[in-house]
Amino acid sequence: MPKSLFVDPREVRAPGKVTFNEIPVNQYNKTVAEELASGRYTKEDLVRIFRDMTVLREFETMLNLIKTQGSYNGVDHTYPGPAHLSIGQEAACVGQAYLLDENDFAFGSHRSHSEILAKALSTIHKMSDENLMKVMETFLEGKCLRSTQRLGETKDVKELAIRFILYGTLSEIFARETGFHMGMGGSMHAFFLPFGIYPNNAIVGGSGTISTGSALYKKVNNKKGIVVCNVGDASMARGPVWEALNFSAMDQYKTLWESHNDGMPILYNIFNNSYGMGDQTRGETMGQGCMSRIASGVSPTQFHAETVDGFNPLAVIDAMARKLELLRNGQGPVMLETITYRFSGHSVSDQNAYRTKEEMDAWKEFDPLTTYPAALVEAGVATQAEIDAILEETKARMTMICKAAADPEISPYCDFKKDPAVVERLMYSNQQVVAFDDREPEYTVPKEEAEGYKKIKAKERSPIGADGKPVSKMKLYNLRDGISEVIWDRFYEDPTLIAYGEDCRDWGGAFAVYRGMMDALPHSRIFNSPLAEAAIVGTAVGYALSGGRALVELMYADFIGCAGDEIFNQMSKWQSMSAGILKMPLVLRVSVGSKYGAQHSQDWTALCAHIPGLKVCFPATPWEAKGLMESALKGTDPVVFFESQRIYDVGEQFHEGGVPAERYEIAFGDTNKVRDGKDVTILTIGAVLYRAMDAARQLSEKYGMEADIINIHSLVPLDYTKIIESVKKTGKVILVSDACARGCFMNDVAKNITELCFDDLDAPPVVIGAKNWITPPFEFDEFFFPQASWIIDAINDKLIPLEGHISTTGCTEAETIRRAKEGV
């Protein structure tokens, strides 16, 4: 039964007022001497904070000079890639990272060099020498370490680790094979998982949803540590960031979840430097003033938000201590607005025309690389000579690192001439994992006792019963059951598997695939998400790349547009950009609608198939649905799993013996031959298969033609072997799908068939799709979506004349030209 939350009209209609707590702003006021006297820091701690800040500043100073002048301290190099610098923001980054360790995950943006290095330096200080050596020796089989060791001998493991992180990061930026991800991520996507440094993102605000999903992974799977989401002030204008904030603050974690019901362990940190690119977020493009007020519109807790002076590393550490205590006590999410300033432009081509020299000089008076060491000297923590020595050591180290990273002998590029498939091998991991954790899966009812599961198991798997009579619709195992049965099985095998989307729990999903699961599984494993598609997919990306398996649903394919970045830039790319270090065991279920008009009935398979890195399938039979879902939910690659609402209730009509009761897998790339013929090949995707079968029957009965029908249930990857065999046999091919004809996936298949079977074709391949219109109301389906008559007309008009047939659907060359000219 659903766990109901009573909405009391007397309560929600009662008079009252909404109140807000005050938000602290820049309240820290201690001196270095006072902090030293309090015992919070040793002299070594305070000096190390300065050392870390110098490392960050020098790294970006070096990169700026390489970009603008092609030379740094005698090292000449040309670097054509991006360099979004954060010179001036070092104190904010070092202060944030000071209390974090390798169990705490940090996500960032395209301006994250300092965040990466600060987190790494903090982790290096805390890790034992033994663990540091193990990390360096095992990462990428020691390739990066071996290059680092060529810089010169040091017996200090922590110094070696500092060189390692600087070298690996810079080599990654310089696109070298010795970079942390073979140069495939580069400046805006650098990270290093062993130190808890998770992907930084070239899409503004892109880490908002992903980091929230990572926090969900920690929460659901009882993993150590917290998650930090670093975004800039301009990111707070983006919808996905707001969706992420709402997702992290859902009431259900406390009101409905039976376990794991503490708050989301995530800190949203806004580095507020007052600018996006040239736009000024303070006073121009946004209206919040203090960004810390934003959370007041999301949760009554206001995310325990405060604003802190990011030009003082000790102030940031002080605020971080408070936030970490809240998170570790289950009171997340929390928010910090860290006030800072970038002295550098948005990028090296930025001439700073949007701000005055007076403003920049005013901020430089408070440059932490000047004010903080002066405070150390004043407090007697360090002498000026010691400060100068640190600066010299940092510059010497950076010079050594830059020279090595720029040297093609020490730091070679991937050789695409010798190995053209170097990126090709990174696109998919193609692995199988039954469970991502060895603990027992959580459930409330054993699988064999779950009513929903038992009902599926009791169904007839063939349309003809043992008595030779057709099985009733209620008793027949259908396409929906093929999907659902696998999900049931996998929930009881992989303890990390979670499922969510709009109305997934109480309704059993919009189309009943999850029916009965709420009675057997806790809320933490299957739950309703907000109506926020970007958050649904983006959090699933974060959950999967952090080590779990996610199954999420978009109610309609038309909603893909609401999650475009999360599907096309995040879900698809992180495996390859990480050089295979990250895995993406994420299945995105997408329902293709019917009956609901222009914004709820579109087949957008071509959009997903176009994006490298995604696997895309569209089963049209129960046998296909079960086998493909089994493969998808054991794999380690991102899958967009299309389902047609037209055929959820259809039984198995093609596989001999019906759908097997035992478990099986269908390999991605395979195709399904459903009918044998010798005269024409018909290729189908999705529900149109059944209209093609109707056309085949008419061709056979009226014209004596036998159609060879192959259903393409796996769009990406796609094995053409059976298709080629069929086309070579028949010499004629029709390709049909419910997607609008212009730009549909079948056009790509037709092109490949033309190239692969040119000498065997009697005529060019013919593609039939829906009209290039908006989808009209259901009453006009026959005029918009391909029908059996369209297929027969196309054969008559474009492949071979059918005796006595009169075409009615306008397949002539003249009509094709007219439609193209009109854009329809």
Side-chain angles (χ1 to χ4, degrees):
M1 291 294 292
K3 193 172 182 180
S4 178
L5 296 169
F6 181 66
V7 181
D8 188 339
R10 294 177 179 82
E11 181 179 333
V12 298
R13 297 181 66 244
K17 60 182 179 180
V18 176
T19 60
F20 297 91
N21 296 321
E22 291 184 348
I23 298 173
V25 176
N26 298 334
Q27 292 293 303
Y28 181 83
N29 59 6
K30 293 183 179 179
T31 66
V32 170
E34 288 172 335
E35 287 285 28
L36 185 63
S38 73
R40 188 174 193 175
Y41 304 97
T42 65
K43 287 186 176 182
E44 290 75 17
D45 293 334
L46 294 166
V47 170
R48 190 178 68 256
I49 289 169
F50 173 66
R51 188 278 313 268
D52 290 357
M53 290 163 57
T54 69
V55 172
L56 276 51
R57 175 66 63 88
E58 194 63 29
F59 185 92
E60 293 211 314
T61 298
M62 171 275 302
L63 194 55
N64 184 53
L65 290 171
I66 288 291
K67 279 292 294 182
T68 58
Q69 300 179 23
S71 181
Y72 165 74
N73 207 23
V75 179
D76 295 332
H77 181 59
T78 300
Y79 165 59
H84 298 91
L85 307 178
S86 59
I87 294 173
Q89 300 183 192
E90 299 85 3
C93 296
V94 171
Q96 178 191 99
Y98 183 82
L99 297 173
L100 304 178
D101 63 25
E102 72 272 19
N103 295 310
D104 302 311
F105 297 170
F107 292 78
S109 68
H110 60 286
R111 198 184 307 284
S112 288
H113 304 143
S114 287
E115 297 162 33
I116 294 166
L117 298 179
K119 179 68 162 64
L121 294 170
S122 176
T123 302
I124 288 169
H125 174 71
K126 296 178 181 69
M127 286 184 76
S128 69
D129 288 359
E130 180 182 1
N131 286 341
L132 283 172
M133 286 304 304
K134 183 177 180 181
V135 165
M136 292 187 287
E137 288 169 349
T138 57
F139 187 79
L140 290 182
E141 299 177 338
K143 182 185 296 184
C144 187
L145 175 61
R146 288 192 293 274
S147 292
T148 304
Q149 289 172 328
R150 294 179 65 178
L151 306 184
E153 185 178 353
T154 177
K155 294 182 180 179
D156 185 340
V157 173
K158 295 195 184 301
E159 170 61 24
L160 178 63
I162 293 171
R163 296 179 183 180
F164 173 88
I165 200 72
L166 290 170
Y167 172 77
T169 302
L170 187 56
S171 294
E172 180 64 28
I173 293 171
F174 284 175
R176 303 309 175 99
E177 188 179 27
T178 50
F180 285 147
H181 306 104
M182 295 173 59
M184 296 299 143
S187 171
M188 296 188 287
H189 310 106
F191 57 99
F192 188 67
L193 297 189
F195 287 173
I197 304 166
Y198 270 66
N200 300 290
N201 214 297
I203 305 300
V204 172
S207 289
T209 56
I210 296 174
S211 57
T212 304
S214 182
L216 180 66
Y217 169 75
K218 284 185 176 290
K219 174 180 169 64
V220 170
N221 296 282
N222 296 321
K223 299 300 181 181
K224 293 180 180 178
I226 59 96
V227 174
V228 176
C229 171
N230 285 312
V231 294
D233 43 317
S235 301
M236 301 311 295
R238 293 211 63 228
V241 178
W242 282 86
E243 290 187 24
L245 296 177
N246 181 70
F247 192 102
S248 74
M250 287 192 293
D251 281 339
Q252 66 174 289
Y253 301 136
K254 293 183 171 68
T255 60
L256 294 174
W257 286 32
E258 304 85 357
S259 58
H260 313 285
N261 52 7
D262 48 359
M264 192 74 87
I266 186 167
L267 161 66
Y268 294 101
N269 177 69
I270 306 164
F271 282 124
N272 187 353
N273 60 26
S274 296
Y275 290 92
M277 291 178 63
D279 57 294
Q280 197 166 2
T281 58
R282 188 184 298 274
E284 183 188 5
T285 61
M286 299 179 74
Q288 288 87 359
C290 281
M291 295 291 170
S292 54
R293 76 169 73 244
I294 283 175
S296 301
V298 181
S299 169
T301 70
Q302 300 176 227
F303 284 37
H304 312 281
E306 65 179 283
T307 298
V308 63
D309 178 9
F311 262 33
N312 185 341
L314 303 185
V316 180
I317 295 169
D318 179 67
M320 283 293 296
R322 288 190 295 278
K323 302 311 165 197
L324 291 174
E325 182 178 8
L326 287 166
L327 291 173
R328 287 162 183 162
N329 288 331
Q331 297 180 60
V334 300
M335 179 178 284
L336 269 183
E337 176 191 21
T338 307
I339 301 297
T340 186
Y341 195 81
R342 56 171 167 84
F343 301 132
S344 49
H346 167 71
S347 61
V348 294
S349 61
D350 181 352
Q351 299 301 310
N352 288 303
Y354 49 86
R355 54 182 175 176
T356 66
K357 182 177 184 299
E358 289 77 12
E359 177 185 300
M360 297 180 69
D361 288 343
W363 279 91
K364 287 179 181 178
E365 288 183 26
F366 302 98
D367 183 353
L369 268 293
T370 301
T371 58
Y372 182 72
L376 294 183
V377 173
E378 181 182 354
V381 172
T383 64
Q384 187 59 51
E386 290 169 332
I387 296 296
D388 293 341
I390 290 172
L391 291 168
E392 286 300 317
E393 180 185 37
T394 297
K395 188 169 186 177
R397 183 195 295 116
M398 195 66 253
T399 303
M400 175 175 58
I401 297 296
C402 182
K403 184 177 181 181
D407 186 336
E409 194 272 322
I410 298 175
S411 311
Y413 293 101
C414 290
D415 193 333
F416 280 76
K417 292 183 178 178
K418 288 184 178 179
D419 185 10
V422 61
V423 177
E424 182 179 310
R425 288 193 301 274
L426 302 176
M427 295 309 299
Y428 302 107
S429 48
N430 289 320
Q431 297 175 7
Q432 284 199 331
V433 177
V434 173
F436 281 102
D437 203 322
D438 57 8
R439 71 181 192 279
E440 284 295 313
E442 295 180 44
Y443 52 82
T444 55
V445 176
K447 182 175 68 173
E448 290 71 19
E449 299 175 18
E451 291 300 320
Y453 185 69
K454 289 195 292 184
K455 286 179 181 178
I456 293 174
K457 285 296 188 182
K459 288 192 172 185
E460 293 289 339
R461 292 171 179 262
S462 177
I464 305 299
D467 57 3
K469 298 180 180 179
V471 175
S472 70
K473 182 178 178 180
M474 293 295 292
K475 294 181 179 180
L476 181 62
Y477 185 102
N478 57 35
L479 188 144
R480 177 189 293 106
D481 298 321
I483 298 169
S484 183
E485 182 180 22
V486 175
I487 296 172
W488 275 102
D489 287 334
R490 296 296 289 125
F491 261 125
Y492 287 81
E493 290 177 338
D494 189 341
T496 71
L497 174 61
I498 61 172
Y500 55 94
E502 298 167 13
D503 299 306
C504 280
R505 188 167 177 88
D506 303 327
W507 276 22
F511 307 102
V513 167
Y514 300 119
R515 183 184 291 152
M517 293 184 190
M518 73 169 186
D519 297 322
L521 298 167
H523 268 84
S524 58
R525 301 202 67 198
I526 181 168
F527 59 90
N528 296 331
S529 75
L531 274 66
E533 286 78 12
I536 291 170
V537 180
T539 55
V541 169
Y543 188 93
L545 65 78
S546 295
R549 186 181 296 281
L551 172 65
V552 294
E553 174 182 352
L554 296 185
M555 192 180 291
Y556 285 88
D558 313 66
F559 302 167
I560 285 173
C562 299
D565 173 62
E566 288 71 25
I567 298 171
F568 302 150
N569 277 324
Q570 311 299 341
M571 179 177 170
S572 62
K573 292 181 170 61
W574 281 113
Q575 283 200 122
S576 49
M577 285 198 300
S578 72
I581 289 174
L582 292 171
K583 301 295 181 288
M584 192 57 64
L586 164 55
V587 177
L588 172 62
R589 294 182 50 238
V590 178
S591 181
V592 177
S594 67
K595 305 181 185 179
Y596 293 105
Q599 294 181 334
H600 281 67
S601 304
Q602 299 173 92
D603 177 339
W604 281 1
T605 49
L607 291 179
C608 296
H610 176 71
I611 303 300
L614 296 174
K615 291 185 176 180
V616 182
C617 67
F618 196 169
T621 76
W623 176 78
E624 293 174 353
K626 179 176 177 177
L628 287 168
M629 184 57 80
E630 186 79 29
S631 292
L633 280 182
K634 283 183 179 173
T636 53
D637 293 308
V639 175
V640 183
F641 199 101
F642 284 92
E643 305 161 14
S644 173
Q645 294 171 26
R646 296 176 183 271
I647 54 176
Y648 273 127
D649 292 322
V650 72
E652 181 55 48
Q653 301 175 21
F654 309 107
H655 191 74
E656 186 176 352
V659 181
E662 64 270 22
R663 297 172 69 174
Y664 61 92
E665 298 174 27
I666 294 177
F668 276 84
D670 197 8
T671 55
N672 186 15
K673 178 79 166 289
V674 299
R675 190 182 192 278
D676 286 320
K678 58 181 176 52
D679 300 309
V680 63
T681 298
I682 303 178
L683 304 178
T684 62
I685 294 175
V688 76
L689 165 65
Y690 298 93
R691 280 161 269 154
M693 288 296 294
D694 184 24
R697 282 189 289 271
Q698 294 183 45
L699 286 169
S700 179
E701 294 169 2
K702 294 182 180 180
Y703 306 106
M705 288 188 68
E706 298 300 332
D708 217 34
I709 299 183
I710 297 174
N711 190 50
I712 300 176
H713 52 61
S714 173
L715 284 69
V716 182
L718 175 57
D719 183 348
Y720 276 81
T721 303
K722 294 178 185 177
I723 295 172
I724 292 171
E725 289 175 357
S726 176
V727 174
K728 286 180 178 290
K729 176 176 64 175
T730 66
K732 307 170 188 68
V733 58
I734 293 270
L735 305 93
V736 196
S737 82
D738 279 333
C740 290
R742 184 173 58 235
C744 74
F745 181 75
M746 281 307 200
N747 286 320
D748 193 60
V749 178
K751 179 185 78 72
N752 289 335
I753 289 173
T754 301
E755 294 176 359
L756 295 169
C757 305
F758 184 80
D759 292 336
D760 301 284
L761 287 168
D762 298 330
V766 178
V767 175
I768 302 176
K771 302 290 187 181
N772 297 314
W773 312 337
I774 63 166
T775 309
F778 178 67
E779 289 82 351
F780 308 108
D781 252 22
E782 64 180 293
F783 303 103
F784 180 75
F785 290 108
Q787 305 295 314
S789 61
W790 296 19
I791 298 172
I792 295 172
D793 283 356
I795 292 173
N796 178 68
D797 293 350
K798 297 186 177 182
L799 294 182
I800 183 171
L802 301 175
E803 187 175 352
H805 182 79
I806 299 175
S807 296
T808 61
T809 56
C811 293
T812 65
E813 289 183 6
E815 179 64 7
T816 299
I817 292 171
R818 183 196 71 79
R819 291 175 182 174
K821 183 178 180 180
E822 297 294 331
V824 294

